Amino acid sequence: MSETAPSRERTLSEQTIDASFDDIWEELKWRGLVHVSTDEAALKELLAGEPITYYCGFDPTAASLHLGHLVQLLTLRRLQLAGHRPLGLVGGSTGLIGDPRPTAERTLNTRETVAEWVRSLQAQVSKYLSFEGDNAARLVNNLDWTAPLSAIDFLREIGKHFRIGTMLKKDAVAARLNSDEGISYTEFSYQILQGLDFLELYRQYDCVLQTGGSDQWGNLTSGTELIRKVEGVHVHAIGTPLITNSDGTKFGKSEGNAIWIDPELTSPYAFYQFWLNTDDADVIDRLKVFTFLSRAEIEEYAQKVADEPFKREAQRRLAFEVTALVHGVAATEAAIAASQALFGQGELSELDATTLEAALRELPNTTTTEPSSTVAQALVDTGLTSSLGEARRAVAQGGVYVNNAKVEDAEQPIGQDVLPGDMVVLRRGKKTLAGVFVA
């Protein structure tokens, strides 16, 4: 068993729905997880009744899921905690196609790459669901039912139920038709494949609900309509809102890069810092969506944000909860220790090299230098000072630190005192940091 497994299992066992709500539908609404849906009254009644089977799909268009997917994973989990049976679909076939983006055609990945990513995403999805008990989760792959299907059978049995006029009105398709790129028949057909998924899951598992992002609403309803036409049954869909920041910017982006849940792509330290830097205007909404804290607890944090925002208690709780959920408690505590140690509130020497390196890589100013290079030169190389003269004055004034120890001599070799992994934390004043990799 991996080192993070006990932390993950403990987190799953601690998760609960909030008993202060009349039912799970009311909790989903309060947490802001319902942007659009099929018949709301029918859904509320359905989710309050006997256990149902529901699903959400994840396409392997990258080696990892990101924060947008985490919204769906936690929605799946909340419904499971309410007693319902989740299906986590990883799209081995839809991943070979790719859903239409608003601006340009996707690059098709090789079958080998998609198969590898399917395995990676299945492992990630499985961490957020329980596979035990009467409502145990199940992983499914849509390649299992699309691969044996011939083109003729696909067109005769599935394609005949779709109307071109309706398909053209889907938001993603309409956007592409109005762009210079246009849209290929391949991507145009994506919504049919997703509709087929829902139909097959209804037939195999009596699945009657699909969840997904509201930007996928056209794809979600392609399934509900297909089942209505083929089986004469009304099934349901829930579209969660696209999470944006209070200033309107896209959530989950850091300098243009997605925040991944794979620690190799976004380190636990960087992940923790992302949540810690949440704006006051956004933090309560993030606690609702991304944590299992109760309504009462979240309302307490809302009051703290209103009364004492400078303490940033809500941000610290948010960062801990989500990082522990994704990476485990041990990695979260290591990230917190690194954050504190960088600013002189802990022992740098006690940090493991991996966490320290991840922390230094996140600093805006890093450099690689030879062991004999001086502290003064390192200050210039990292941009903490603009000249050697300024560097020497900063040292003389007692404002320069190497690994949290005050520097007395500006000509001291930077490699004189290195941390594990041959790293150095260079600090000017209380808050201006840089990393130096000695090689």
Side-chain angles (χ1 to χ4, degrees), residues 169-345:
K169 293 177 184 178
K170 305 295 186 183
D171 290 343
V173 172
R176 285 283 292 281
L177 286 173
N178 294 324
S179 71
D180 293 336
E181 287 284 332
I183 187 170
S184 70
Y185 178 76
T186 299
E187 289 194 358
F188 181 64
S189 302
Y190 180 90
Q191 57 186 288
I192 302 179
L193 288 174
Q194 188 160 333
L196 171 61
D197 288 345
F198 202 168
L199 176 62
E200 284 296 320
L201 294 177
Y202 171 77
R203 287 171 168 173
Q204 293 186 38
Y205 303 104
D206 195 26
C207 178
V208 294
L209 170 65
Q210 180 182 183
T211 66
S214 59
D215 60 333
Q216 293 287 311
W217 186 243
N219 292 328
L220 273 72
T221 55
S222 70
T224 60
E225 283 300 296
L226 180 61
I227 293 172
R228 181 183 63 81
K229 291 176 180 178
V230 175
E231 302 289 342
V233 174
H234 289 278
V235 293
H236 295 279
I238 296 173
T240 61
L242 298 183
I243 309 297
T244 58
N245 297 320
S246 57
D247 60 5
T249 58
K250 191 171 184 179
F251 166 75
K253 297 290 182 179
S254 175
E255 299 180 359
N257 298 314
I259 305 297
W260 305 98
I261 66 174
D262 184 336
E264 297 298 321
L265 299 177
T266 300
S267 71
Y269 177 85
F271 193 88
Y272 179 85
Q273 291 297 318
F274 171 83
W275 295 102
L276 192 63
N277 291 325
T278 301
D279 190 90
D280 288 344
D282 297 317
V283 66
I284 299 305
D285 286 342
R286 301 292 181 265
L287 283 168
K288 290 180 179 180
V289 172
F290 291 99
T291 78
F292 289 88
L293 297 184
S294 68
R295 174 163 53 179
E297 289 176 293
I298 292 173
E299 288 175 347
E300 286 181 13
Y301 280 108
Q303 193 62 51
K304 290 178 180 180
V305 172
D307 295 342
E308 299 176 312
F310 57 90
K311 290 186 176 181
R312 299 185 68 77
E313 289 185 55
Q315 281 87 346
R316 289 201 300 274
R317 184 64 184 273
L318 173 68
F320 180 88
E321 290 292 331
V322 187
T323 309
L325 177 74
V326 174
H327 297 298
V329 174
T332 304
E333 292 175 342
I336 295 171
S339 181
Q340 294 173 339
L342 287 178
F343 293 96
Q345 299 172 6

Side-chain angles (χ1 to χ4, degrees), residues 402-438:
V402 166
N403 301 335
N404 291 335
K406 185 179 292 187
V407 176
E408 306 290 345
D409 181 5
E411 303 307 312
Q412 169 186 319
I414 194 68
Q416 177 176 306
D417 181 22
V418 296
L419 296 166
D422 294 330
M423 292 174 276
V424 171
V425 177
L426 188 61
R427 175 159 56 93
R428 183 181 181 187
K430 292 183 178 180
K431 296 183 178 180
T432 309
L433 292 169
V436 179
F437 295 88
V438 179

